Amino acid sequence: MKTDANSPANLEPSAHAADFAERVRVNQAKLTSELRPHYDFVVCGSGSSGSVVARRLAENPEVTVLLLEAGGSDDVPSVMEAGQWRTNLGSDRDWAFQAQPSPHLNGRSIPMNMGKVLGGGSSINVMFWARGHKNDWDYFASEAGDPAWSYESVLNIYRRIEDWHGAPDPKYRGTGGPVFVQPEADPSPVALAMLEGTRSVGIPTFENQNGRMMEGAGGCSIVDLRVRDGKRESAFRSYTFPYMDRPNLTVLTHALVTRITFEGQRATGVECIYNGKTHRISAGHEVVLSLGAIHTPKVLMQSGIGDQAELERHGIPLVQHLPGVGQNFQDHPGIGCLWEYQKPLPPRTGSVTFSGKAIRISTRQTYRHARLKYRSLPPKC
């Protein structure tokens, strides 16, 4: 039996990738040129949440999914090449928000970088893989009254979604999932010196930050990375991109969601600005807002969901009085250190990370106490 030299079985991995990327390009060009006025699900925002939700929905070939992203393509060197991550900050792939000047920071205004590109923050961040501390997850479960949000529950999910390329650790790490993770292959001498320094003062060190360290009182470790062969592994590339050759998933870039449309108090779809025009797109089943910690409450309030007095002040008709919307913003702490080394060091993505009970470290900005009426769903990635 003769086999065609160009058949999929005989193509090199790079040829497979190029062939798939071309199928995606052709399919998405067709789907976006024939944009429908109605989809079963409309997912707003293609960041670390929206990319996962869109993929999970599109796994069902019987439903149509529209994923809306205000930014453009992630297929640019500054996103794809891990070593160029800094060049995204302040670029057109960054919303480049600035916090108000704070008296607690000597009047300084802190930059709040958020992704405006396919993949959202996962396309412009430092590519550290950080799961969150046991205390935080158990707190979420307590507040929600739902054990599905507990640490033990999400640890099972992390094991399922991970493709861990470090030392085998079946209690904490998983293999074969969509999320490629590996330890830093070539830590900086400064990072190694930091580990030694922490040990010398009695701070425990760990093999990585996402196992035992996330259950203890604190410690120090080299970070895990979402980098493969020098290339960024974003949530969008891990989850959504592999499904973009399918006819039921449309990914529309440069589409800015401005508000949710309603019939009474039932969401019916969204309004978005695309190609300089306002489009109304209806959703047969659900509208999913995953626009980040600033744009999600902004769109809710522009849609009439928020504090009644605040909405009235801006002339926005009230749909639902929910005073928690837009309140209780929390950013994660970051501490930068400058080191003087006796000789120049090559650029590295590796670093050292700390975790502890006194400082809750989160991997993204969050509204912990916003009281929205929502269906409590356990995390499932």
Side-chain angles (χ1 to χ4, degrees):
M1 176 179 175
K2 293 183 68 176
T3 304
D4 184 351
N6 292 320
S7 69
N10 290 329
L11 291 176
E12 294 294 328
S14 59
H16 276 294
D19 178 65
F20 181 79
E22 179 61 15
R23 293 206 311 273
V24 166
R25 187 192 67 78
V26 172
N27 182 54
Q28 291 299 317
K30 179 178 185 295
L31 292 174
T32 55
S33 67
E34 301 170 352
L35 197 63
R36 306 178 186 181
H38 176 89
Y39 293 83
D40 294 318
F41 295 91
V42 177
V43 181
C44 306
S46 69
S48 297
S49 297
S51 290
V52 175
V53 172
R55 151 71 177 268
R56 298 286 294 170
L57 293 170
E59 288 176 0
N60 180 357
E62 301 302 316
V63 302
T64 55
V65 181
L66 174 64
L67 177 60
L68 298 173
E69 168 57 47
S73 171
D74 65 333
D75 192 10
V76 294
S78 61
V79 173
M80 305 301 285
E81 300 292 334
Q84 296 189 32
W85 71 269
R86 295 171 182 84
T87 63
N88 293 297
L89 306 183
S91 74
D92 60 2
R93 290 171 295 284
D94 178 7
W95 286 101
F97 294 120
Q98 289 282 136
Q100 291 184 343
S102 170
H104 305 292
L105 300 170
N106 295 323
R108 286 178 296 149
S109 178
I110 299 299
M112 295 160 49
N113 307 101
M114 296 187 183
K116 186 182 180 183
V117 60
L118 288 173
S122 74
S123 287
I124 71 168
N125 64 13
V126 197
M127 296 156 287
F128 295 168
W129 177 244
R131 294 177 171 183
H133 196 274
K134 179 180 187 297
N135 292 356
D136 285 322
W137 286 113
D138 289 343
Y139 172 80
F140 298 153
S142 174
E143 287 291 290
D146 187 348
W149 287 95
S150 70
Y151 175 75
E152 288 301 321
S153 176
V154 297
L155 181 59
N156 290 330
I157 296 172
Y158 280 125
R159 282 196 296 257
R160 188 179 74 243
I161 69 174
E162 268 192 350
D163 187 17
W164 169 242
H165 284 251
D169 184 3
K171 181 177 180 180
Y172 293 105
R173 314 309 297 252
T175 58
V179 179
F180 179 94
V181 186
Q182 65 178 356
E184 167 59 40
D186 184 24
S188 163
V190 173
L192 297 176
M194 173 67 86
L195 283 176
E196 182 58 35
T198 58
R199 278 192 290 265
S200 72
V201 295
I203 298 174
T205 60
F206 293 85
E207 59 277 5
N208 61 69
Q209 71 190 65
N210 289 309
R212 297 179 301 126
M213 182 169 156
M214 283 297 113
E215 299 177 350
C220 181
S221 76
I222 306 293
V223 295
D224 295 338
L225 295 175
R226 291 271 288 132
V227 178
R228 189 199 314 239
D229 299 326
K231 306 291 185 182
R232 176 188 295 273
E233 292 279 318
S234 70
F236 176 78
R237 288 282 159 169
S238 296
Y239 278 93
T240 309
F241 186 75
Y243 273 59
M244 286 177 63
D245 64 335
R246 302 191 175 201
N248 68 325
L249 173 60
T250 303
V251 178
L252 190 66
T253 56
H254 302 291
L256 177 66
V257 176
T258 54
R259 72 183 191 95
I260 309 165
T261 58
F262 287 92
E263 287 182 3
Q265 291 191 331
R266 185 177 71 86
T268 58
V270 300
E271 280 188 0
C272 68
I273 299 174
Y274 175 65
N275 278 344
K277 298 179 180 178
T278 298
H279 296 256
R280 276 199 169 200
I281 301 172
S282 64
H285 293 302
E286 287 187 11
V287 173
V288 179
L289 286 188
S290 49
L291 297 167
I294 290 179
H295 280 293
T296 295
K298 174 187 175 183
V299 169
L300 285 172
M301 288 187 283
Q302 288 178 170
S303 307
I305 301 174
D307 181 77
Q308 183 172 1
E310 181 75 7
L311 298 180
E312 288 177 350
R313 189 163 68 88
H314 291 279
I316 300 174
L318 180 71
V319 173
Q320 176 67 50
H321 173 57
L322 286 177
V325 175
Q327 303 297 314
N328 300 301
F329 177 83
Q330 295 182 5
D331 199 353
H332 61 74
I335 302 172
C337 299
L338 286 176
W339 301 87
E340 184 176 349
Y341 199 65
Q342 59 264 40
K343 59 183 179 180
L345 294 174
R348 286 176 168 87
T349 54
S351 183
V352 174
T353 185
F354 287 89
S355 168
K357 282 184 177 178
I359 299 176
R360 295 181 183 272
I361 293 183
S362 169
T363 59
R364 65 172 183 260
Q365 289 87 356
T366 179
Y367 291 86
R368 176 171 290 168
H369 301 296
R371 301 301 188 200
L372 302 181
K373 292 183 178 178
Y374 65 95
R375 182 177 55 189
S376 178
L377 295 176
K380 182 180 181 182
C381 296

